[in-house]
Amino acid sequence: MKLSKRLQLILDQIPQGSRLADIGSDHALLPVAAVECGVAVQAIAGEVNQGPFEAAAKQVKESGMEDCIQVRRGDGLEVLSAGEADVITIAGMGGSLIAAILDRGIGKLEGVRRLVLQPNVGEDILRKWLLAHEWVLIDEFILEEDGKIYEVLVAEPERPGGPVTNEEIYSQRAIAGKVSLSAEWLLRMGPWLIRDAGTVFHDKWKSEIGKMNQILKSLSRSDLDTAKGKAAEIRADIEFIEEVLACLPKDKP
């Protein structure tokens, strides 16, 4: 099955032999591809809405994989039983919604060894949720497809002897010996993305600066002290982001 760049990148983060649960599976493209290529030995496609649920069921039936892929209708992780999946993927939603899904179904995360998450917005919200619930961001990726920029976050439960700890990845660090990044900024911009920044990362944050400048224009029409204070915060953020970008390479793909 031919996947989009975004879904292929998510598939590439699923360990071999996984029992996969894809939440918000839409047409079940990811579970079918994962089983088809042998990455997943079995999969669950969860979908809350009737139309996508029916589309997923049709896709699985046409693929001939009904014996190893179950399509279930339900809200978030309620389609799972604890211990039923060891890898969960959630893609194509806002970071706050993904965090809420994980929060509501936190009991279903028992036995899960990896989360692969692709928020459309609010990546920092999701990083904060993972940190607060002792999940370690072991890797993250950024890509552009069809004019949109996506980030993929890969997390595992924090454990002794793990590849990295939250303390390590969110410890304050300096870039090019010039700009010091606090944990707050690492959560906001991505601790792994900053280490391997390239063209897409720069494009994303230039776009964010553009949005912030639009907010500044709106705030400039207000005489309220709160608006002036907010504008000062935004200007400081823009200046800091520009300093960070100036210290990072931008010729990587």
Side-chain angles (χ1 to χ4, degrees):
M1 177 177 288
K2 178 68 174 177
L3 297 177
S4 65
K5 285 168 54 180
R6 176 180 66 93
L7 288 181
Q8 184 62 52
L9 180 57
I10 294 169
L11 177 62
D12 291 343
Q13 311 317 310
I14 301 172
Q16 196 76 25
S18 295
R19 294 176 298 131
L20 171 66
D22 184 38
I23 305 302
S25 195
D26 198 9
H27 285 66
L29 296 178
L30 184 62
V32 169
V35 172
E36 189 176 67
C37 72
V39 166
V41 294
Q42 63 186 55
I44 295 164
E47 182 54 64
V48 68
N49 296 313
Q50 184 64 29
F53 168 77
E54 291 175 356
K58 180 181 178 182
Q59 178 73 28
V60 171
K61 184 176 181 179
E62 289 178 351
S63 72
M65 297 182 183
E66 291 173 292
D67 288 344
C68 45
I69 303 176
Q70 296 182 38
V71 182
R72 300 178 185 175
R73 188 177 179 195
D75 187 9
L77 299 184
E78 72 176 22
V79 300
L80 297 178
S81 298
E84 198 170 19
D86 47 38
V87 175
I88 293 176
T89 54
I90 311 177
M93 309 175 199
S96 58
L97 177 55
I98 295 176
I101 287 171
L102 294 171
D103 216 41
R104 291 196 304 269
I106 200 162
K108 306 294 181 69
L109 298 180
E110 180 183 347
V112 174
R113 57 192 172 103
R114 179 168 289 192
L115 298 172
V116 185
L117 312 171
Q118 183 267 297
N120 287 343
V121 293
E123 298 87 359
D124 59 324
I125 295 170
L126 201 45
R127 290 188 190 99
K128 289 173 184 176
W129 189 93
L130 294 169
L131 177 61
H133 293 83
E134 299 181 332
W135 285 80
V136 181
L137 190 65
I138 63 163
D139 212 342
E140 54 187 350
F141 306 87
I142 189 167
L143 76 153
E144 182 275 331
E145 185 172 33
D146 297 331
K148 296 181 180 179
I149 292 176
Y150 303 101
E151 294 183 20
V152 175
L153 281 56
V154 185
E156 295 183 352
E158 190 164 25
R159 65 187 188 278
V164 68
T165 66
N166 276 318
E167 184 178 359
E168 289 170 336
I169 65 172
Y170 291 117
S171 60
Q172 186 165 311
R173 73 180 75 150
I175 301 176
K178 298 178 181 179
V179 180
S180 181
L181 286 163
S182 64
E184 180 183 352
W185 276 102
L186 291 168
L187 284 161
R188 188 167 170 180
M189 301 185 83
W192 297 107
L193 297 181
I194 284 176
R195 293 187 188 196
D196 196 31
T199 303
V200 180
F201 182 86
H202 279 260
D203 289 346
K204 183 243 172 93
W205 284 99
K206 287 175 184 175
S207 174
E208 291 299 314
I209 289 172
K211 294 174 186 176
M212 294 163 80
N213 278 321
Q214 289 300 315
I215 295 172
L216 283 178
K217 287 183 181 179
S218 178
L219 290 172
S220 69
R221 294 190 285 269
S222 173
D223 292 326
L224 294 174
D225 289 341
T226 52
K228 292 177 182 178
K230 182 63 176 176
E233 289 178 16
I234 292 174
R235 279 192 289 269
D237 283 355
I238 290 173
E239 182 179 350
F240 184 80
I241 293 167
E242 288 176 338
E243 289 178 2
V244 170
L245 294 180
C247 293
L248 294 174
K250 53 185 176 184
D251 55 351
K252 293 181 182 179

